[in-house]
Amino acid sequence: MAQSTKYIFITGGVTSSLGKGIIAASLGKLLQARGFSVTIQKFDPYLNIDPGTLNPYEHGECYVTDDGAETDLDLGHYERFLNVPTSQNNNITTGRIYNNVITKERKGEFLGKTVQVIPHITDEIKCNFYKLGEDGKYDVVITEIGGCVGDIESLPFIEAVRQARWDLGPGNFLVIHLTLIPYLKAAKELKTKPTQHSVKQLLEAGIQPDILVCRTEHPLPSEVKKKLALFCNVQLNSVIEAMDAESIYDVPLLMKKEKLDERVLSKLKLSSKSNIDLETWKDFLGKLKNPTQEVTIGLIGKYVSLPDSYKSIIESFTHAGAAVECKVNLQLISSEEINSENYQSKLGELDGILVAPGFGERGFEGKIETVRFARENQIPFFGICLGMQVAVIEFSRNVLGLDGANSTEMDPNTPYPVIALMEEQKKIDQMGGTMRLGSYACDLKKGSKAAIAYGKTKIQERHRHRYEFNNAFLEQLESKGLIASGKNPETGLVEIIELKNHPWFVGVQFHPEYKSTVLNPQPLFVKLIQAALDNKKNK
């Protein structure tokens, strides 16, 4: 392990979903703004090897990296804040750790020793803690430990953190504990006891937190901070208040005001490489909070009751909206509730429509109705992954007259499989079933809507899908005005479709939302918002 690399561990207590990922990303942003190279990794205590098989209702969206890893949605926050790509090494689960250890045991690598949680599982965890710091690329590696202190699942991770303090030595290791200070309305009082208990559990596991970050709905009076410092054995200036923020993008500035980065630098004996530069971040926030116009865009999908299922898409609208100083009122509409009778009342007030990605046939016909409505009424439309496939199917049925046209995912016996598993794809990809995952190249047609949006003709975008556009139908579709404007240069697979005589009708096979960041808003989202603004003016 490169000893020049500093390691910060972020644990959570009292309850989950306190925002460890946002605190990790905000701290990373502040250190980056001071000139340090930073990466963030997430260790998840569940037994799935990766989140790829998890229902979005259970765990929110599955985020995909350039190298094709299916990861936790917190990695999306890391990339959006830091503008630095992550990889499969940035997200490790208990399942992966045990899988690695058991594979080694089966190969005889432990030389007949009894394989145990300590040292074998904890050694494997530590090995993954240090992996990103080993090549000397990063000054600071921030590690977020998922779940809550005290959970049975996270015990091996907490033990590995305890051991890491001795491996790394003083000045190279830091623990930040994120906790909740609840406010009891009846007593009109902020309560520190849950935090005391949470820190006590950490201490029982042999870890003394260096900094406490306290989530709260009310400002923390100095006597509450003093009490926390005294009972939790931390310095008074290391008790950091984290008030609920209007936007997650406010959090870096709030943490700067609370001097979180300064406390971290002093404890890690780091001197700032440069003056903190957050000007572009402040510009973004200024535009985000002071829009000059607004539009209403419908996000049509089947997981709308848990917005985290579409986290990257929602954040892409935030980035793109700020870029054009426009407030995007996003309406999440369940595709299961849309049918041929009610589509006008459900969709009629929208300035633009996005049909979301997804798997399976639930809500599929509702998506078909949505696309037809957008196509026939010249409403700006953007289809992502399944959304693009739905657009092809709708056009095939209603314009080409191919009755029963479908994807072989929905109907294996469709007479017109306009979306299907490609033979060549079956041969290429033996990993993860037939899923195409990670970053692939795409060549854009000069002058197409997509090429104009990107401002170039060669792009790289991330994929997560099984079924492809069936090129056997390409000529027929193009003859009626549905153009393939983006193709994979190696396989010839269609990546982008668009309609000729429509203000903005674009479908993409990839997931553009995964690469949208605060500093680089995704161009297709920017163009959709601009088209929706034009549509609103022309109404």
Side-chain angles (χ1 to χ4, degrees):
M1 104 198 51
Q3 203 43 80
S4 56
T5 306
K6 309 281 186 178
Y7 291 84
I8 299 171
F9 294 90
I10 298 183
T11 58
V14 183
T15 169
S16 58
S17 303
L18 281 182
K20 288 194 296 295
I22 302 296
I23 292 294
S26 299
L27 174 58
K29 183 77 223 167
L30 292 176
L31 294 173
Q32 190 187 55
R34 288 177 176 276
F36 295 102
S37 59
V38 183
T39 188
I40 313 176
Q41 52 187 354
K42 170 90 186 271
F43 280 67
D44 271 312
Y46 51 74
L47 279 168
N48 305 61
I49 299 250
D50 61 45
T53 52
L54 290 175
N55 182 329
Y57 280 137
E58 288 268 331
H59 207 71
E61 77 171 4
C62 173
Y63 185 79
V64 176
T65 57
D66 276 342
D67 62 354
E70 294 181 289
T71 68
D72 184 80
L73 62 80
D74 272 333
L75 269 72
H77 290 311
Y78 306 161
E79 289 202 11
R80 288 188 278 274
F81 276 63
L82 298 183
N83 208 32
V84 174
T86 53
S87 72
Q88 62 182 1
N89 290 333
N90 291 69
N91 189 203
I92 309 287
T93 65
T94 295
R96 178 100 65 88
I97 296 291
Y98 274 84
N99 195 33
N100 291 353
V101 170
I102 288 164
T103 305
K104 285 179 187 172
E105 186 273 332
R106 292 287 81 190
K107 286 182 178 169
E109 287 182 27
F110 295 118
L111 306 175
K113 284 214 164 27
T114 306
V115 180
Q116 294 176 290
V117 173
I118 302 171
H120 301 100
I121 296 295
T122 50
D123 280 354
E124 183 68 25
I125 293 170
K126 286 193 296 178
C127 172
N128 284 280
F129 281 168
Y130 308 140
K131 200 175 271 183
L132 287 170
E134 278 167 356
D135 57 9
K137 248 178 35 182
Y138 300 107
D139 302 313
V140 181
V141 175
I142 300 174
T143 303
E144 178 193 342
I145 306 290
C148 260
V149 171
D151 294 349
I152 286 176
E153 288 96 339
S154 51
L155 282 173
F157 292 103
I158 298 296
E159 168 59 19
V161 173
R162 182 194 71 76
Q163 293 177 22
R165 182 185 287 270
W166 299 105
D167 290 353
L168 296 165
N172 297 312
F173 171 98
L174 181 75
V175 173
I176 297 173
H177 190 53
L178 180 66
T179 174
L180 177 70
I181 310 290
Y183 179 77
L184 292 188
K185 267 189 186 161
K188 294 189 172 53
E189 213 177 353
L190 286 159
K191 287 295 185 188
T192 63
K193 192 59 79 181
T195 296
Q196 292 176 44
H197 279 299
S198 177
V199 171
K200 188 168 168 242
Q201 279 197 300
L202 258 187
L203 287 166
E204 282 174 5
I207 295 174
Q208 167 64 56
D210 299 285
I211 296 173
L212 279 185
V213 176
C214 305
R215 278 299 303 274
T216 171
E217 293 173 8
H218 299 266
L220 296 181
S222 60
E223 64 269 20
V224 171
K225 284 190 169 183
K226 279 178 189 162
K227 189 175 178 184
L228 284 164
L230 179 66
F231 282 67
C232 299
N233 206 25
V234 296
Q235 290 165 303
L236 180 57
N237 61 3
S238 294
V239 178
I240 305 284
E241 171 188 293
M243 285 272 290
D244 288 0
E246 189 187 333
S247 148
I248 58 171
Y249 301 108
D250 285 320
V251 179
L253 298 182
L254 293 173
M255 289 300 101
K256 178 177 178 281
K257 196 172 158 207
E258 281 287 301
K259 300 190 165 77
L260 174 62
D261 53 328
E262 290 178 33
R263 297 305 303 143
V264 166
L265 291 177
S266 87
K267 286 180 181 295
L268 290 177
K269 299 182 174 54
L270 283 169
S271 51
S272 189
K273 289 194 169 184
S274 58
N275 290 332
I276 192 155
D277 177 14
L278 287 166
E279 289 317 303
T280 46
W281 195 267
K282 287 176 183 168
D283 287 348
F284 161 75
L285 277 174
K287 289 178 180 173
L288 181 65
K289 293 186 176 183
N290 303 292
T292 55
Q293 47 205 348
E294 60 180 276
V295 287
T296 303
I297 292 179
L299 191 162
I300 320 299
K302 65 175 181 178
Y303 301 117
V304 292
S305 57
L306 183 74
D308 266 5
S309 307
Y310 301 115
K311 192 71 187 164
S312 291
I313 292 175
I314 293 168
E315 296 307 324
S316 297
F317 277 117
T318 305
H319 308 151
V324 291
E325 298 184 42
C326 174
K327 181 183 182 203
V328 179
N329 299 313
L330 207 54
Q331 284 190 15
L332 274 64
I333 302 167
S334 170
S335 54
E336 290 179 86
E337 291 172 11
I338 298 169
N339 55 47
S340 54
E341 312 289 306
N342 68 5
Y343 64 86
Q344 184 67 48
S345 63
K346 292 270 183 196
L347 309 170
E349 297 303 307
L350 301 173
D351 303 315
I353 288 171
L354 183 143
V355 173
F359 292 91
E361 59 186 320
R362 190 160 59 83
F364 186 70
E365 293 302 322
K367 288 181 176 177
I368 295 271
E369 282 300 329
T370 301
V371 174
R372 185 175 66 79
F373 175 75
R375 179 178 59 77
E376 291 177 351
N377 293 280
Q378 302 279 296
I379 293 171
F381 164 83
F382 188 23
I384 296 179
C385 202
L386 183 65
M388 173 262 209
Q389 297 177 358
V390 171
V392 172
I393 292 163
E394 187 279 329
F395 194 88
S396 303
R397 289 181 188 178
N398 298 328
V399 178
L400 291 184
L402 301 179
D403 201 23
N406 214 328
S407 161
T408 52
E409 177 186 12
M410 312 303 163
D411 176 9
N413 303 314
T414 171
Y416 305 107
V418 289
I419 304 291
L421 276 182
M422 299 289 102
E423 284 307 313
E424 58 267 35
Q425 196 192 341
K426 289 178 193 171
K427 287 173 207 155
I428 297 167
D429 194 357
Q430 294 308 305
M431 293 176 68
T434 44
M435 188 88 92
R436 190 142 73 98
L437 280 166
S439 185
Y440 286 84
C442 177
D443 288 353
L444 308 181
K445 255 193 188 152
K446 279 195 177 122
S448 64
K449 290 181 172 76
I452 291 164
Y454 278 101
K456 52 188 176 185
T457 54
K458 289 194 180 300
I459 57 166
Q460 286 269 347
E461 290 284 7
R462 297 178 193 173
H463 292 248
R464 182 178 186 247
H465 60 94
R466 259 187 201 94
Y467 294 81
E468 302 279 2
F469 181 101
N470 188 342
N471 280 341
F473 293 88
L474 180 57
E475 212 173 298
Q476 260 179 293
L477 288 158
E478 292 211 308
S479 70
K480 293 287 187 182
L482 188 83
I483 305 303
S485 60
K487 286 186 181 178
N488 181 297
E490 286 166 31
T491 58
L493 290 168
V494 173
E495 305 279 26
I496 308 178
I497 56 105
E498 52 189 68
L499 267 185
K500 263 185 176 172
N501 305 316
H502 193 288
W504 177 259
F505 188 104
V506 176
V508 296
Q509 182 62 84
F510 46 80
H511 287 261
E513 71 273 19
Y514 289 147
K515 284 177 79 168
S516 182
T517 70
V518 168
L519 298 180
N520 287 317
Q522 218 292 331
L524 297 174
F525 281 88
V526 174
K527 284 292 182 207
L528 173 66
I529 293 169
Q530 287 171 333
L533 280 166
D534 293 342
N535 178 36
K536 186 181 178 182
K537 283 177 196 143
N538 298 333
K539 272 184 181 175

